[in-house]
Structures are given as structure tokens and as C-alpha cells.
């Protein structure tokens, strides 16, 4: 069931995402598969680095944010994907035991000039840990069907 169409998400709209608890096991499994830096593979490797301990890959953090966006928003929307990411910043390391949550902010909206049944949303995703420290910011343009097109 679709809860969000383009018209429902105009500039200033905010959708909460999360929570998601990060485990050391998933940090290591992701690193073994995709980003085998020593500070992502073990506590010892992390302590021997500037990270000071085991931490998640930034790409893992992005993947977690994507999961939270899907669960809280995208899978209940008329989303048609995105043409890419404009900005991605990893603010501080994500550690085992962190509980991540955040929100999506709509910063801009317009109808597509070539496809007026498609809305384009400028979106910022902000993710925080349980202490309120920001761990990630991500901006992109999302494509959503208008209510009439669906």
C-alpha cells in the first residue's frame, strides 16, 4: 500500500527512520566481503589505527541508512529510484552497539519537465547514534510518481 506520493512530500517534510542496532558481527562480515581495512575487521586492528577500535565501514553505514529508509519510507512510497547521490559524508565512526536513527528531510521539490507524472525530490538523510551524534549525511534526488500517475 502506498502511503507517500510526490504530493505528500513537499519542502520541509520530514520522515523519521530507524532505529537500527549495529553489531560487531555484522561490521566484520560486511568488511570481510566489501571493505577489509584492519579497523573494520577486528578490535585489535582498530586499536592499532587512528580509529581507536573496531568501527563500521562508511559504506556499511550507508547500507544501514538505505535499509532504514526502505523500512520507514521508500517501500511505502511511489518511489521510482534515484539518479545518484550528490553528497555523502561520514561524520564519526559507527561502533558496535550503536543504535542508529535519523530522518529524511525534503529540501526541494519539482515536477519533471519531460515527465510531468514524475516528481523530483531533493532529499537529505541525516543519521545519528544513540548519543545524538551525527554519523552520516547523504543528499540525493529521489524520483516519485504523482498521485494521479499512480
Amino acid at each position: 500500500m502506498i502511503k507517500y506520493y510526490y504530493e505528500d512530500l513537499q519542502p520541509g517534510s520530514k520522515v523519521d527512520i530507524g532505529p537500527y542496532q549495529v553489531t560487531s558481527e555484522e561490521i566484520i562480515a560486511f568488511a570481510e566481503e566489501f571493505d577489509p581495512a584492519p579497523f573494520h575487521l577486528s578490535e585489535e586492528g582498530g586499536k592499532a589505527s587512528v580509529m581507536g577500535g573496531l568501527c563500521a565501514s562508511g559504506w556499511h553505514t550507508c547500507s544501514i541508512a538505505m535499509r532504514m529508509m526502505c523500512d520507514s519510507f521508500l517501500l511505502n512510497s511511489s518511489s521510482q529510484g534515484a539518479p545518484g547521490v550528490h553528497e555523502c559524508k561520514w561524520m564519526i565512526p559507527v561502533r558496535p552497539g550503536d543504535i542508529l536513527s535519523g530522518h529524511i528531510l525534503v529540501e526541494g521539490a519539482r515536477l519533471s519537465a519531460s515527465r510531468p507524472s514524475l516528481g523530483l525530490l531533493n532529499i537529505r538523510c541525516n543519521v545519528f547514534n544513540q548519543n545524538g551524534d551525527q554519523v552520516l549525511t547523504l543528499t540525493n534526488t529521489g524520483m516519485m510518481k504523482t498521485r494521479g500517475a499512480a
Side-chain angles (χ1 to χ4, degrees), residues 53-64:
L54 179 65
C55 66
S57 164
W59 300 114
H60 185 193
T61 304
C62 288
S63 297
I64 292 168

Side-chain angles (χ1 to χ4, degrees), residues 1 29 31 33-34 40-41 50 53 61 63 70 77 81 86-87 97 117 150:
M1 181 170 170
E33 181 79 16
F34 301 108
H40 300 322
L41 292 170
V50 298
T61 304
S63 297
C70 284
S77 77
H86 305 296
E87 173 188 60
S117 62

Side-chain angles (χ1 to χ4, degrees), residues 90-112:
W90 304 310
M91 317 300 270
I92 63 170
V94 170
R95 308 283 183 183
D98 278 353
I99 301 171
L100 305 181
S101 60
H103 52 262
I104 298 166
L105 295 172
V106 178
E107 296 183 328
R110 67 179 176 83
L111 290 174
S112 168

Side-chain angles (χ1 to χ4, degrees), residues 121-133:
L121 300 173
N122 296 329
I123 296 171
R124 178 175 300 278
C125 175
N126 294 311
V127 179
F128 305 87
N129 66 18
Q130 68 282 356
N131 300 318
D133 301 319

